[in-house]
Structure formats: C-alpha cells, structure tokens
Amino acid sequence: MGTITTTMRNARLSLLSTAIDAGSGPGTLKIYTGSKPAGPASAATGTLLASITLNDPSCASPSNGSMALVVSPAIADSSADATGTAGWARFADSDDNGVHDVSVTATGGGGELTFPSVSFVSGTNIGITSYTFTESAGS
C-alpha cells in the first residue's frame, strides 16, 4: 500500500463524519452480538444489544489523521435492548444507512471500540466515554 499525506487523511475522515451526520437528525451507534458482516452496506447480523444516538455533529474536526467522537453532552443508551456479548458495532446516519463497522472487545482486547466489559445486560446504561477514528498514512 502507498502512503498518503495528513491532508488526505483528514479529508477522508471529514467524509466519514459527513456520512455519519447525513440525514435530518443525528447518527447512531448500534452494538450487536457476533462478528461484523462484510461491510456497512450489508445487513446487520447478530442481536441488537444497544442503540446510542450520537451528537450532531458527531465528530470533532480531524487533525493529524485522527478525529474524536463528540461525547459531550454524554451519549448513551439508558436502557440496553438485550442481554448478550458485544462483538461489533455500526455507525449509521439518521436514516439508518450503515457508514462504518468496528469490532468490539473488552478494554485491552484489541478491538476498535472497547468497553470495560462486553457482557451487556438488558435495561442497563451503555455509554461511550471516548472514541477516536484514525486514518492510516499507509506503509
């Protein structure tokens, strides 16, 4: 793979942010059991554990190839939809069009999105305290 400039990395992140914020309202982050499907255009797989409404705009401006999810005011699902083990999550626009899929693990497990525990319990609060999108410069 070739390499790209920081300006290009930031531009790609801006496109991602714009896609998540598309539609008439805020985007969402939906957390599921199982493994990620082939991509965001594929139907979601697994059991929906939690659905978090994002802030609008959802992300801070990209800088140096990274972009933080806006988590203030706090974003959470105050009552998880189901009990199960989180395996992946999908960022979607307000029309529920998939934009970006990520793996989910417990903190230290190497997932793209981490939680203190991936054992979700129906009716409990599931929140995000931070998340950073990073665009690689390549190699």
Side-chain angles (χ1 to χ4, degrees), residues 8 10-11 15 23 28 38 45 59 67 71 81 101 103 106 116 123 135:
M8 282 299 302
N10 291 341
L15 288 172
T28 59
T45 58
C59 300
M67 177 177 69
V71 295
D81 300 276
D101 293 347
S103 62
E135 181 68 34

Side-chain angles (χ1 to χ4, degrees), residues 19-42:
I20 294 170
D21 293 339
S24 60
T28 59
L29 173 64
K30 294 184 178 181
I31 304 163
Y32 296 89
T33 61
S35 300
K36 290 189 298 185
S42 300

Side-chain angles (χ1 to χ4, degrees), residues 33-54:
T33 61
S35 300
K36 290 189 298 185
S42 300
T45 58
T47 300
L48 176 64
L49 298 174
S51 182
I52 297 170
T53 300
L54 302 174

Side-chain angles (χ1 to χ4, degrees), residues 13-132:
L13 288 166
S14 290
L15 288 172
L16 176 61
S17 177
T18 298
I20 294 170
D21 293 339
S24 60
T28 59
L29 173 64
K30 294 184 178 181
I31 304 163
Y32 296 89
T33 61
S35 300
K36 290 189 298 185
S42 300
T45 58
T47 300
L48 176 64
L49 298 174
S51 182
I52 297 170
T53 300
L54 302 174
N55 289 307
D56 196 2
S58 60
C59 300
S61 295
S63 176
N64 295 317
S66 294
M67 177 177 69
L69 187 66
V70 175
V71 295
S72 180
I75 55 174
D77 181 340
S78 61
S79 182
D81 300 276
T83 297
T85 303
W88 71 282
R90 173 169 287 167
F91 290 90
D93 67 17
S94 64
D95 295 325
D96 207 30
N97 296 305
V99 174
H100 185 66
D101 293 347
V102 296
S103 62
V104 174
T105 64
T107 303
E112 296 157 298
L113 178 62
T114 62
F115 291 91
S117 170
V118 291
S119 296
F120 288 22
V121 177
S122 178
T124 60
N125 185 60
I126 306 298
I128 304 290
T129 56
S130 69
Y131 182 76
T132 302

